[in-house]
Amino acid sequence: EIVMTQSPATLSVSPGERATLSCRTSQNVNSNLAWYQQKPGQAPRLVIYGASTRATGIPARFSGFGSGTEFTLAISSLQSEDFAVYYCQQYNNWPPYTFGQGTKLEIK
Amino acid sequence: EVRLVESGGGLIQPGGSLRLSCAASGFTVSSNYMTWVRQAPGKGLEWVSLIKSGGSTYYADSVKGRFTISRDNSKNTLYLQMNSLRAEDTAVYYCAKDYDSSGYFDYWGQGTLVTVSS
């Protein structure tokens, strides 16, 4: 099973600033990595797939980078609606699909 | 418009059984990979099970032998039969559609809460 490690657990950033979230995998997953956003009481929402491709309707301020075992989700010029928990997920080696433990992006 | 609506959650005693449903609209369940993901209270996401369009099924080790994923093509509905439930199965259960058999999930339902407690 591929283990996913996200850092930091909590990230405090001011609106308008840039946020950088990290995800590390225990094995090479190539570019088979997705990012999801989850707000309280809501289902997850796909943000990035293929490590760097934005999902439908996701603003250009969201960017994904990386391949292999190191990945980054960057959000430039944070808006109020961006504060949420973000999860990475690998889909290179399955079953099982595995998720990171999440990074909570909070308002500073 | 793609829509997924889960139902069937509730309070159940340890050792009991429950069947979750996920009614789909806007696409055909049988033509897609479909998955169940759960989230324990205050915790992260955990993949539970997947059914391929061809009918093959896969399970997390934590539920293998206790849970069964299936679908009813005539009702365009996905199911999760959960037997021998344990306290650690307490979670919100989401159904999700796999994008083009890729392994990531582009549409999610709103979730249904299963609480296993005496």
Side-chain angles (χ1 to χ4, degrees):
Chain A
E1 172 175 330
I2 294 179
V3 177
M4 314 287 288
T5 304
Q6 291 187 240
S7 61
T10 303
L11 182 61
S12 299
V13 183
S14 300
E17 295 191 340
R18 178 182 177 89
T20 303
L21 290 68
S22 295
C23 176
R24 176 178 295 178
T25 62
S26 62
Q27 300 173 35
N28 179 14
V29 300
N30 299 297
S31 294
N32 295 314
L33 186 114
W35 290 92
Y36 300 89
Q37 176 194 72
Q38 188 179 34
K39 298 179 180 179
Q42 295 185 18
R45 176 191 184 192
L46 179 66
V47 176
I48 296 284
Y49 62 91
S52 61
T53 303
R54 283 188 303 276
T56 301
I58 300 300
R61 63 180 180 271
F62 287 83
S63 300
F65 304 94
S67 65
T69 62
E70 300 277 349
F71 300 88
T72 299
L73 174 67
I75 313 170
S76 64
S77 189
L78 279 163
Q79 306 297 303
S80 58
E81 61 266 30
D82 301 335
F83 292 95
V85 179
Y86 290 84
Y87 295 94
C88 57
Q89 177 229 339
Q90 69 82 22
Y91 50 96
N92 192 70
N93 289 8
W94 69 276
Y97 295 113
T98 47
F99 293 88
Q101 80 280 17
T103 290
K104 182 180 181 180
L105 180 57
E106 64 176 25
I107 299 175
K108 185 174 182 181
Chain B
E1 178 192 7
V2 171
R3 194 169 181 223
L4 295 165
V5 179
E6 300 97 333
S7 60
L11 175 63
I12 187 75
Q13 292 189 339
S17 297
L18 211 55
R19 189 179 81 159
L20 306 183
S21 300
C22 171
S25 57
F27 73 102
T28 302
V29 165
S30 62
S31 298
N32 288 269
Y33 289 14
M34 295 294 296
T35 204
W36 289 96
V37 174
R38 69 184 179 183
Q39 186 170 36
K43 303 297 184 182
L45 302 171
E46 179 188 17
W47 173 77
V48 173
S49 181
L50 178 138
I51 184 167
K52 286 187 172 181
S53 50
S56 300
T57 57
Y58 302 84
Y59 300 93
D61 286 346
S62 58
V63 306
K64 198 173 295 182
R66 300 187 299 122
F67 290 12
T68 302
I69 190 171
S70 64
R71 66 192 181 207
D72 184 330
N73 297 345
S74 67
K75 295 182 178 180
N76 208 32
T77 297
L78 179 74
Y79 299 102
L80 187 68
Q81 176 68 42
M82 304 186 296
N83 300 330
S84 303
L85 282 161
R86 307 167 179 167
E88 55 265 35
D89 296 318
T90 294
V92 174
Y93 286 73
Y94 297 100
C95 64
K97 172 184 164 294
D98 184 309
Y99 177 75
D100 198 25
S101 312
S102 62
Y104 56 89
F105 313 122
D106 59 347
Y107 289 95
W108 297 65
Q110 86 288 352
T112 187
L113 176 62
V114 173
T115 303
V116 185
S117 174
S118 55

